[in-house]
């Protein structure tokens, strides 16, 4: 009877500042000694996933992402192909990853971006970490798009907000998806908030398409963050964002442990 542990994959979703919730998710998984064999990530999820793949330690990742003086210094106004150029972000990531290739990280990682011309999902599993991350977070209008191997790449959340299928492609047998989005159905009163909600609805339905095939969904509750939610950082809400990630993971911990139970293999003589 084979009781070999099955490969566990973690899909970290897009969601701007709500991505701090991923730190809470990882904290609880570490506390419960849940092994992570592979990670996929879109946008904010890609950043957290890459840092965790490098350090394999939530405290170290949190230390980097909560250095707000450093984070604020990354703003470089452009207005050419986006409000921000993103060059300082690349330099920041280069300082951390030091020209590392994705395939050299400690946990297998897939960074998801979107082909801006075709709208297709682009799964990046090899090559420079910093450049792939910069592509995955290139929200049109906000950040300049990235030229990558003959393609113009944009934010991964446009094609795969919670990249479950990327995990399956990596061989994950148990898939855990982390969706970070605002509560649906909130009242919106101005043109900007209506446009923002329209994008959120599209992403919600798009994520549902992949999450129907996930083994476990961790779905932290957020309200009034919007698509980016960076105002919450300036309001000092990062701690509670992380804590919400912890809460949502604790709620699902029994489901995760149940999914991890080895499947009993029926001896060949009894197989039909």
């Amino acid at each position: 009877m084979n009781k070999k542990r099955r490969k566990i994959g973690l899909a970290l979703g897009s969601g701007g500042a709500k991505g701090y919730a991923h730190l809470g998710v990882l904290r609880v998984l570490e506390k419960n000694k849940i092994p992570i064999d592979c990670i996929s990530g879109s946008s904010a999820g890609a950043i957290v996933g890459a840092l965790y793949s490098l350090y394999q330690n939530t405290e170290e990742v949190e230390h980097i992402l909560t250095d707000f003086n450093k984070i604020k210094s990354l703003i470089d106004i452009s207005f050419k192909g986006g409000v921000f150029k993103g060059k300082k972000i690349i330099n920041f990531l280069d300082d951390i990853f030091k020209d590392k290739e994705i395939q050299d990280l400690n946990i297998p990682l897939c960074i998801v971006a979107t082909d801006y011309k075709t709208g297709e999902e682009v799964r990046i599993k090899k090559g420079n970490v910093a450049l792939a991350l910069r592509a995955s977070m290139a929200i049109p209008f906000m950040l300049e798009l990235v030229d990558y191997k003959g393609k113009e790449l944009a934010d991964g959340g446009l094609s795969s907000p919670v990249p479950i299928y990327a995990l399956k492609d990596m061989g994950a047998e148990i898939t855990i998806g982390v969706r970070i989005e605002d509560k649906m159905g909130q009242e919106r009163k101005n043109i900007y908030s209506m446009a923002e909600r329209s994008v959120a609805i599209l992403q919600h339905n798009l994520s549902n398409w992949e999450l129907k095939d996930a083994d476990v969904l961790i779905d932290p509750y957020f309200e009034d963050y919007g698509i980016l939610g960076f105002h919450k950082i300036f309001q000092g809400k990062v701690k509670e964002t992380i804590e919400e990630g912890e809460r949502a993971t604790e709620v699902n911990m029994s489901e995760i442990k149940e999914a991890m139970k080895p499947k009993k293999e029926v001896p060949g003589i009894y197989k039909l």
Side-chain angles (χ1 to χ4, degrees):
M1 196 175 291
N2 185 7
K3 290 189 177 182
K4 184 180 178 182
R5 183 178 71 76
R6 290 182 293 157
K7 188 175 181 180
I8 301 172
L10 181 66
L12 300 177
S14 61
K18 297 185 293 295
Y20 281 100
H22 292 318
L23 297 174
V25 173
L26 289 166
R27 270 187 193 173
V28 174
L29 294 178
E30 278 187 351
K31 184 177 74 174
N32 285 273
K33 295 181 170 54
I34 306 297
I36 302 299
D37 299 299
C38 56
I39 299 173
S40 64
S42 285
S43 199
I47 294 169
V48 176
L51 288 169
Y52 192 75
S53 295
L54 177 65
Y55 294 110
Q56 295 181 287
N57 182 288
T58 305
E59 283 189 14
E60 184 65 33
V61 178
E62 186 174 335
H63 174 72
I64 291 169
L65 294 180
T66 54
D67 182 351
F68 299 119
N69 289 327
K70 184 68 175 177
I71 299 297
K72 290 174 185 176
S73 74
L74 302 180
I75 296 172
D76 50 358
I77 304 297
S78 171
F79 293 113
K80 183 180 178 182
V83 177
F84 306 109
K85 186 175 180 62
K87 179 63 177 174
K88 289 184 178 180
I89 293 173
I90 277 284
N91 293 338
F92 170 68
L93 295 171
D94 274 335
D95 285 343
I96 294 169
F97 292 100
K98 303 187 185 306
D99 295 322
K100 275 190 178 292
E101 303 278 297
I102 297 170
Q103 62 270 28
D104 296 330
L105 296 175
N106 294 312
I107 300 174
L109 174 71
C110 179
I111 295 171
V112 175
T114 302
D115 186 323
Y116 193 66
K117 183 177 180 180
T118 66
E120 293 178 346
E121 175 189 358
V122 177
R123 297 172 186 170
I124 309 173
K125 292 182 277 188
K126 292 182 179 180
N128 184 271
V129 180
L131 184 60
L133 287 176
R134 173 63 183 80
S136 184
M137 61 189 292
I139 302 169
F141 178 73
M142 292 300 297
L143 274 172
E144 290 183 12
L145 303 185
V146 173
D147 290 326
Y148 189 90
K149 296 184 178 179
K151 295 181 178 180
E152 195 173 32
L153 298 188
D155 192 278
L158 296 174
S159 57
S160 183
V162 189
I164 293 295
Y165 294 146
L167 279 185
K168 290 180 178 291
D169 186 52
M170 297 171 80
E173 297 164 285
I174 300 169
T175 53
I176 303 170
V178 185
R179 176 166 62 187
I180 48 173
E181 63 179 22
D182 262 10
K183 175 188 174 185
M184 298 303 292
Q186 293 179 66
E187 184 180 359
R188 298 294 177 176
K189 296 180 179 179
N190 57 53
I191 292 174
Y192 172 78
S193 62
M194 289 175 68
E196 188 177 53
R197 173 52 55 184
S198 297
V199 173
I201 289 169
L202 289 171
Q203 287 193 317
H204 175 76
N205 289 312
L206 188 58
S207 67
N208 277 345
W209 174 255
E210 292 198 57
L211 285 167
K212 72 182 188 301
D213 291 320
D215 293 292
V216 179
L217 168 61
I218 297 174
D219 209 1
Y221 181 95
F222 293 107
E223 209 170 329
D224 199 33
Y225 273 70
I227 294 175
L228 299 178
F230 294 130
H231 62 289
K232 294 291 185 177
I233 295 177
F234 301 123
Q235 291 172 3
K237 302 292 185 180
V238 167
K239 182 181 177 183
E240 64 185 51
T241 304
I242 295 172
E243 289 174 349
E244 177 54 21
E246 290 182 279
R247 184 204 64 78
T249 310
E250 292 283 9
V251 166
N252 287 277
M253 189 48 59
S254 60
E255 189 178 356
I256 293 170
K257 289 180 178 178
E258 183 64 30
M260 288 175 61
K261 288 182 179 178
K263 289 184 177 179
K264 294 180 180 179
E265 247 186 43
V266 180
I269 191 171
Y270 297 113
K271 292 180 181 177
L272 298 177

